Amino acid sequence: MRWAFLEVVTSATKPLTSSVGTNALQSNQQRLDFNRGTASQDKVDKAIARYVVEDMQAISTVESPAFRRLVSLIPGATRQMGRKTFSKYLEGEYTKMESELKKTFEGLNYISTTADIWSAHNRSFMGITSHWINPTTLQRQKAALACKRIKGRHTYDVVASEIDHIHSLYGVSTKVTSTITDNGSNFVKAFAMYQPESLSDDDDDDHDDDEEVTFTDVADALNSAAEEGIVLPPHQRCASHTLNLISCNDIDKWLVSNPGTKALYRSSTAKCTALWNKTSKSTLAAEVVSEVVTKKLLVPCTTRWNSFYDAVARIVEIPMTDLSAISDRLQLKSISDRELHFLKEYCATMKPLTVALDILQGEDNCYFGTLLPTLETLMSKTLEVKDSLTVATGLPKAIVQAIKRRFASVLESSDAMLAAVTLPKFKLRWLRDQRKKEMIKGILVAECHKFVPGSSKDKEQDFFSFEDDDEHFASVETEVMSYLKTAETGMEILQQFPTIKEICLKKNAAIPSSAPVERLFSLGGLVLSPKRNRLSDQRFEKLLLMRYNHWFED
């Protein structure tokens, strides 16, 4: 257990060198000395709150006799809070955090959000996280905005109302460049219905074939949005979720429908499944595996992306003789040489896709501009594997076709191209086609013209400003050419190119996937544990948001 609250007194201690006995502590170790230094009561209270919130302890911890005894040893701790007083203290800190977030958002022009719905202990919650690039430091930053209880059916209008309410609460409704969600039909319809200025869904070609197709009446959409006053930002589908659909649905359909792989795929995965089931449900079976190989077998999980690939990859790492020995001892059908060869080809072909999926789930150094270079590299690396295959020879082409179909709108999106080219680590390096390079360069120049501020001339002077137009065009061209020629790949180079920096802040505010809100829910599962399922919805949300945002961290 990490006693975080004791950090308030460790700064007053120094490494001590003991002169007593040979078993004394070394001089490079620190000990708490309660006789040195005095911490203010405010620091003590904050340290206690940090311990409870960060380590997700029960609020009643502050009334534990052992805990109170420990706190009483801290110099400066003149009073100790009870559960009710401590709850009020946390309420006040949450209010401060909320005000600080609103103040931060006031100084931003562009942010993005991710949204999803999570259910636990017979309760449902709408989670929303926000992401932006700090205009001064150019560092990626994030914050959780809500994990609000929603009741009733999760229909598109309920989803739209909650998202709009949370955006309005923080004053970011007009600043959100896009909201990233999964491919759920309720989210897709919500954004289609409540965007009166752009009713057409840009991702029409990028939908899950297994989803229910929803037909929307344009007049109803306009009336609905106007009556309720709800307007949602542009919708962006989670790239990681879409890649996972390719990995699970599209590839599975191709392997089953292809005569050359159908039998092998079914027989090999059936034997793998039998092995996973046996070892996950029987301690004796798990011990058999540990006796033969040093690594434990992984079991696929439907809620974890890449889990099937990871589980198969772990099996193909095991030598054929050891696999046969394990199957014999567990009384299972052994995987044949041909089946093992097929599984190895499957893993070799799928590896680029799994790497891409992991990249797009990033947060700190991942931007919307990462998406296009990742997809282009993924397709080229997948096709490179084709020549080394003997069984699943058509699988690489099937993967590339699925990527082009599901990401059709993204691959042709000007916003995605601008996001990629304004990231210094990519620029135009990810492109091989010279014509496409020139096209994107032209798009960047045209976008720069939109961001250059207008002059202060009167209307007549502005109407006949031929020379100024030429100078303006030349300056934009010069900035773009100078930027593309620089060898630096760090974000700080954008400080030298203010127009391109502004475009980058807008186009790269978003991230490619909705993984951050999934991580918020993972933390939520630790906060709302079975022993704490009586937490009120409001207190749970506040504890979770303070934990996700690390409010009590120095």
Side-chain angles (χ1 to χ4, degrees):
M1 185 175 291
R2 180 168 61 88
W3 298 97
F5 62 90
L6 291 180
E7 292 183 9
V8 296
V9 296
T10 56
S11 59
T13 66
K14 296 181 179 179
L16 301 177
T17 304
S18 176
S19 59
V20 182
T22 57
N23 295 326
L25 294 173
Q26 298 297 321
S27 59
N28 63 343
Q29 292 180 316
Q30 283 190 330
R31 295 191 305 176
L32 296 177
D33 187 349
F34 294 108
N35 296 319
R36 294 188 181 184
T38 301
S40 66
Q41 184 63 48
D42 288 342
K43 287 187 176 180
V44 174
D45 292 344
K46 184 177 180 181
I48 293 173
R50 178 184 178 187
Y51 165 68
V52 171
V53 172
E54 290 292 323
D55 282 7
M56 294 169 283
Q57 300 294 325
I59 293 178
S60 59
T61 299
V62 297
E63 293 185 340
S64 165
F67 184 86
R68 297 178 72 86
R69 171 62 179 164
L70 189 58
V71 174
S72 69
L73 297 176
I74 302 177
T78 58
R79 63 176 175 83
Q80 294 196 39
M81 295 180 285
R83 182 175 58 83
K84 291 185 178 180
T85 304
F86 184 57
S87 296
K88 292 180 180 178
Y89 175 82
L90 291 178
E91 291 281 347
E93 288 298 314
Y94 178 82
T95 301
K96 291 179 184 178
M97 182 189 74
E98 195 173 56
S99 299
E100 192 68 26
L101 273 176
K102 291 178 180 179
K103 184 179 179 181
T104 299
F105 293 150
E106 287 177 0
L108 298 174
N109 292 324
Y110 316 109
I111 73 168
S112 69
T113 56
T114 68
D116 202 355
I117 295 176
W118 171 61
S119 297
H121 303 294
N122 298 320
R123 288 188 274 179
S124 297
F125 300 88
M126 167 73 77
I128 293 184
T129 65
S130 60
H131 307 266
W132 67 93
I133 301 175
N134 187 304
T136 304
T137 64
L138 296 177
Q139 295 295 313
R140 166 69 80 191
Q141 294 183 329
K142 65 178 180 179
L145 302 185
C147 190
K148 185 180 178 182
R149 173 76 183 275
I150 56 174
K151 298 181 179 180
R153 298 180 62 191
H154 306 160
T155 55
Y156 76 94
D157 53 333
V158 172
V159 169
S161 177
E162 293 296 340
I163 294 176
D164 181 69
H165 171 72
I166 294 167
H167 285 174
S168 300
L169 177 66
Y170 286 91
V172 298
S173 297
T174 60
K175 298 183 178 184
V176 178
T177 59
S178 64
T179 297
I180 303 96
T181 76
D182 60 20
N183 294 280
S185 58
N186 53 348
F187 280 98
V188 173
K189 185 175 181 180
F191 283 90
M193 291 286 286
Y194 293 96
Q195 287 190 15
E197 295 181 1
S198 178
L199 291 173
S200 60
D201 189 350
D202 292 336
D203 296 329
D204 284 342
D205 296 329
D206 180 25
H207 64 272
D208 180 10
D209 290 341
D210 296 330
E211 295 173 3
E212 179 183 354
V213 178
T214 304
F215 296 96
T216 302
D217 185 272
V218 176
D220 290 344
L222 285 169
N223 294 334
S224 173
E227 290 173 6
E228 300 180 32
I230 298 175
V231 178
L232 297 183
H235 185 213
Q236 180 183 320
R237 301 196 187 196
C238 175
S240 296
H241 186 248
T242 304
L243 279 181
N244 188 61
L245 290 175
I246 294 173
S247 174
C248 297
N249 295 8
D250 298 344
I251 293 176
D252 181 76
K253 288 179 181 178
W254 185 88
L255 290 171
V256 171
S257 62
N258 187 277
T261 58
K262 180 178 180 179
L264 276 175
Y265 175 63
R266 285 183 170 176
S267 62
S268 58
T269 53
K271 291 178 181 179
C272 288
T273 301
L275 193 57
W276 293 325
N277 290 339
K278 191 83 170 182
T279 55
S280 63
K281 296 177 181 179
S282 169
T283 56
L284 294 177
E287 290 172 0
V288 168
V289 174
S290 62
E291 290 174 6
V292 179
V293 294
T294 56
K295 293 183 178 180
K296 182 181 178 181
L297 293 183
L298 302 176
V299 179
C301 174
T302 54
T303 59
R304 181 176 173 271
W305 297 327
N306 281 347
S307 64
F308 181 78
Y309 167 84
D310 292 336
V312 174
R314 178 61 58 87
I315 287 180
V316 300
E317 290 175 359
I318 303 174
M320 186 64 194
T321 53
D322 291 340
L323 275 177
S324 299
I326 292 172
S327 299
D328 291 341
R329 293 181 62 178
L330 297 180
Q331 298 180 347
L332 298 173
K333 291 183 179 180
S334 179
I335 298 175
S336 66
D337 290 336
R338 184 168 172 77
E339 289 168 339
L340 184 62
H341 179 73
F342 165 76
L343 292 176
K344 288 181 178 179
E345 287 195 354
Y346 171 84
C347 289
T349 309
M350 291 293 294
K351 187 174 182 180
L353 191 147
T354 59
V355 172
L357 212 161
D358 288 336
I359 291 172
L360 295 177
Q361 291 181 65
E363 288 185 64
D364 294 338
N365 295 301
C366 194
Y367 309 86
F368 182 53
T370 308
L371 181 55
L372 270 188
T374 301
L375 292 178
E376 293 287 349
T377 305
L378 168 59
M379 289 189 288
S380 63
K381 287 187 175 294
T382 301
L383 291 176
E384 289 173 3
V385 181
K386 183 178 180 181
D387 294 337
S388 63
L389 304 179
T390 58
V391 179
T393 54
L395 183 56
K397 185 178 179 181
I399 293 175
V400 171
Q401 288 176 342
I403 293 172
K404 288 182 177 180
R405 178 173 60 84
R406 288 190 179 272
F407 288 98
S409 60
V410 175
L411 293 172
E412 300 299 326
S413 169
S414 296
D415 286 340
M417 295 176 189
L418 286 169
V421 74
T422 53
L423 284 180
K425 72 175 180 179
F426 291 123
K427 295 179 183 174
L428 296 173
R429 301 185 185 98
W430 52 282
L431 291 167
R432 297 182 182 181
D433 188 345
Q434 187 61 36
R435 288 180 299 178
K436 196 164 186 178
K437 285 185 178 182
E438 292 299 327
M439 180 192 74
I440 295 179
K441 188 189 301 183
I443 293 174
L444 178 58
V445 171
E447 191 70 15
C448 285
H449 283 295
K450 299 177 184 178
F451 278 81
V452 173
S455 63
S456 58
K457 303 185 294 294
D458 61 37
K459 293 182 179 180
E460 184 176 344
Q461 288 177 321
D462 184 58
F463 186 76
F464 294 109
S465 58
F466 308 113
E467 293 81 3
D468 290 346
D469 287 344
D470 293 339
E471 293 175 4
H472 164 70
F473 184 82
S475 64
V476 168
E477 283 277 344
T478 301
E479 181 175 348
V480 171
M481 294 305 296
S482 299
Y483 165 72
L484 294 177
K485 287 180 180 178
T486 56
E488 289 84 353
T489 58
M491 291 288 286
E492 59 277 0
I493 192 64
L494 291 175
Q495 302 288 11
Q496 301 178 23
F497 307 98
T499 309
I500 295 175
K501 171 189 170 182
E502 191 69 15
I503 297 172
C504 182
L505 292 176
K506 180 178 181 179
K507 303 300 181 181
N508 283 299
I511 54 177
S513 79
S514 60
V517 74
E518 300 293 343
R519 297 187 180 103
L520 175 69
F521 294 152
S522 295
L523 274 179
L526 298 176
V527 175
L528 194 64
S529 62
K531 290 185 178 180
R532 304 181 70 188
N533 60 13
R534 294 183 64 184
L535 274 174
S536 67
D537 300 330
Q538 294 78 14
R539 180 163 294 175
F540 161 69
E541 180 182 27
K542 292 172 181 178
L543 289 173
L544 175 58
L545 297 192
M546 287 191 289
R547 171 63 178 82
Y548 184 92
N549 295 335
H550 298 293
W551 173 243
F552 293 106
E553 292 287 346
D554 295 330

